[in-house]
Amino acid sequence: MELTDRKKQILKVVVEDYIQTAEPVGSKAIAAEMGGSVSSATIRNELADLVELGYLEQPHTSSGRVPSPKGYRLYVNELMERQKLSIAETEKINQSLQLKMEELDRVISQAGRAVSSFINYPAYITATGKKKMTARRFELLPVDERSCIVVMMMGDNRVKSQLLRLQLKVDIEQMPTLVTLLNSHFTGIPTDEMNQRLMNVAEQVPPQLFLLLSQTIAYAVDVLEEASQREIITAGANQLLKLPEFRDADKAHELMSFLSDSKENLPMPDDGPMKILIGPENVSDALKDTSVVVASYDIGDDMRGLIGVVGPTRMDYATVAARLSGFADGLTRLFGKQELPPKEDTKE
């Protein structure tokens, strides 16, 4: 059976009406939308064909039709009219991103809340390095003979510090030598290589300094490996309660719990500036009745971020895609214009 232009036109009407009303769409409403150019009888035949082809579904309690995931996919790929943000929308996004540049995690947390508030769906956001995090610089600040503060600047300019208690007394005057060794041998390399180099320099330093060096590298490895893991921040899960699809408290609770407790399973595509996943295209069972739109943004310093929204398959894809793209572009400009200060440690 051929998917004619008229069938596509009717499918487009059904999708867009259903997005607006959340109610099954009947032949009379479609005929009115099409200006009376096609009779209701003809439309009913076309609707039956679209159901048979898998693009529409017919709820048991209604004579109207609703889009299937396959229908939404065709709509997104071929029928959806790409939207441009209005001047007012662009200004609203820019205003919401007028953030005081602070720690990276606080910036993206604020941005996630802004996206959820503006798009009216739960949002998630993350930032991650394109490669393993490394140390950029070390400092050792002596406190007394048995303690010092190790300070490490990471590749993304964040600064971590910790007080180390020493098992052996260390001559404070020897600290600069150890700092030079740290900065010449242990910066700009992955954590597994740091451990190997520690063994290689063992004979170059006296025992009490080697003990401090070992403690410093152990601390650095722990911090760098933790920093290399992707942190996902979610916002606005309660937006689900406003949607007709989640009037069932159990269904809403299931998805809200997923966003809170299993957020590491949210889609994190690596390809392209934007990805739209519809219904069963999502791997996680908790998302099989939802759609996810994800956009990427550039942080600089070999880092990138992802920002996405989770909503019903009935979402207004054109509007969501345009607004999310606007946020992604805004975040790229935001990070491109300003350098993050050091962070203290306390389509298919």
Side-chain angles (χ1 to χ4, degrees):
M1 189 184 301
E2 182 183 1
L3 187 63
T4 62
D5 288 341
R6 185 165 65 191
K7 284 184 173 64
K8 289 182 180 180
Q9 184 183 6
I10 290 172
L11 175 62
K12 183 174 185 289
V13 171
V14 172
V15 171
E16 293 179 351
D17 274 14
Y18 188 63
I19 285 172
Q20 294 298 321
T21 67
E23 297 290 341
V25 184
S27 57
K28 290 183 180 180
I30 297 170
E33 288 275 350
M34 298 179 70
S37 60
V38 184
S39 69
S40 294
T42 299
I43 290 173
R44 284 194 293 273
N45 291 333
E46 297 285 40
L47 289 173
D49 289 347
L50 287 167
V51 170
E52 186 176 346
L53 289 167
Y55 293 102
L56 295 179
E57 296 173 350
Q58 183 172 13
H60 296 300
T61 58
S62 171
S63 60
R65 308 304 199 278
V66 300
S68 68
K70 182 179 178 181
Y72 282 122
R73 173 50 61 196
L74 179 66
Y75 173 77
V76 168
N77 287 357
E78 298 185 25
L79 308 178
M80 180 176 75
E81 296 177 10
R82 306 296 168 178
Q83 285 193 8
K84 291 185 177 180
L85 293 177
S86 66
I87 294 175
E89 287 176 317
T90 302
E91 289 179 350
K92 187 173 181 180
I93 288 174
N94 290 337
Q95 287 173 3
S96 70
L97 293 177
Q98 292 302 309
L99 307 171
K100 180 181 178 182
M101 293 302 289
E102 300 174 20
E103 307 90 41
L104 179 62
D105 54 0
R106 183 167 179 178
V107 171
I108 65 173
S109 178
Q110 288 178 271
R113 290 194 297 271
V115 169
S116 178
S117 177
F118 189 44
I119 299 182
N120 297 316
Y121 290 139
Y124 64 97
I125 185 168
T126 186
T128 185
K130 297 175 184 174
K131 61 183 180 181
K132 291 283 188 178
M133 192 70 68
T134 61
R136 178 173 291 180
R137 183 173 178 79
F138 289 95
E139 292 289 345
L140 294 174
L141 308 176
V143 177
D144 54 39
E145 291 181 327
R146 286 191 176 274
S147 62
C148 75
I149 298 172
V150 57
V151 182
M152 178 180 65
M153 176 181 284
M154 298 190 292
D156 62 356
N157 289 337
R158 283 183 289 172
V159 174
K160 298 283 186 176
S161 63
Q162 180 167 292
L163 178 67
L164 297 182
R165 300 291 183 183
L166 312 179
Q167 298 176 7
L168 298 175
K169 291 183 179 180
V170 173
D171 185 349
I172 291 177
E173 294 182 358
Q174 293 182 301
M175 290 283 190
T177 301
L178 194 55
V179 170
T180 299
L181 183 66
L182 284 163
N183 287 317
S184 60
H185 287 77
F186 296 93
T187 55
I189 60 174
T191 54
D192 54 352
E193 192 173 338
M194 293 177 85
N195 288 320
Q196 181 59 48
R197 288 199 183 182
L198 180 62
M199 296 299 102
N200 294 340
V201 302
E203 297 180 359
Q204 300 179 29
V205 294
Q208 66 270 30
L209 281 185
F210 182 75
L211 186 58
L212 173 54
L213 177 64
S214 298
Q215 287 181 265
T216 301
I217 296 305
Y219 167 72
V221 168
D222 286 345
V223 171
L224 292 170
E225 288 185 346
E226 181 181 355
S228 294
Q229 296 176 355
R230 189 194 303 265
E231 181 182 8
I232 303 167
I233 297 173
T234 58
N238 60 347
Q239 298 277 7
L240 293 171
L241 302 176
K242 304 175 184 178
L243 302 170
E245 290 86 348
F246 296 96
R247 286 175 182 152
D248 184 317
D250 290 338
K251 186 175 182 180
H253 177 72
E254 180 183 358
L255 184 52
M256 291 171 75
S257 296
F258 175 84
L259 293 171
S260 173
D261 303 329
S262 303
K263 54 189 176 183
E264 67 276 3
N265 294 320
L266 284 161
M268 296 288 167
D270 292 324
D271 55 324
M274 179 163 289
K275 193 84 166 179
I276 298 176
L277 299 170
I278 299 170
E281 293 173 2
N282 290 289
V283 175
S284 298
D285 286 343
L287 300 176
K288 67 181 184 301
D289 293 326
T290 72
S291 286
V292 179
V293 183
V294 190
S296 65
Y297 60 95
D298 190 16
I299 301 176
D301 289 331
D302 213 25
M303 294 186 69
R304 69 188 288 264
L306 293 172
I307 187 162
V309 295
V310 179
T313 53
R314 182 184 56 85
M315 73 166 61
D316 185 343
Y317 293 96
T319 298
V320 170
R323 290 179 176 179
L324 200 61
S325 180
F327 268 103
D329 291 344
L331 284 166
T332 296
R333 290 194 302 271
L334 178 71
F335 287 113
K337 287 179 180 177
Q338 304 185 57
E339 182 177 346
L340 287 171
K343 176 185 176 182
E344 297 299 332
D345 191 32
T346 142
K347 180 169 170 183
E348 283 292 297

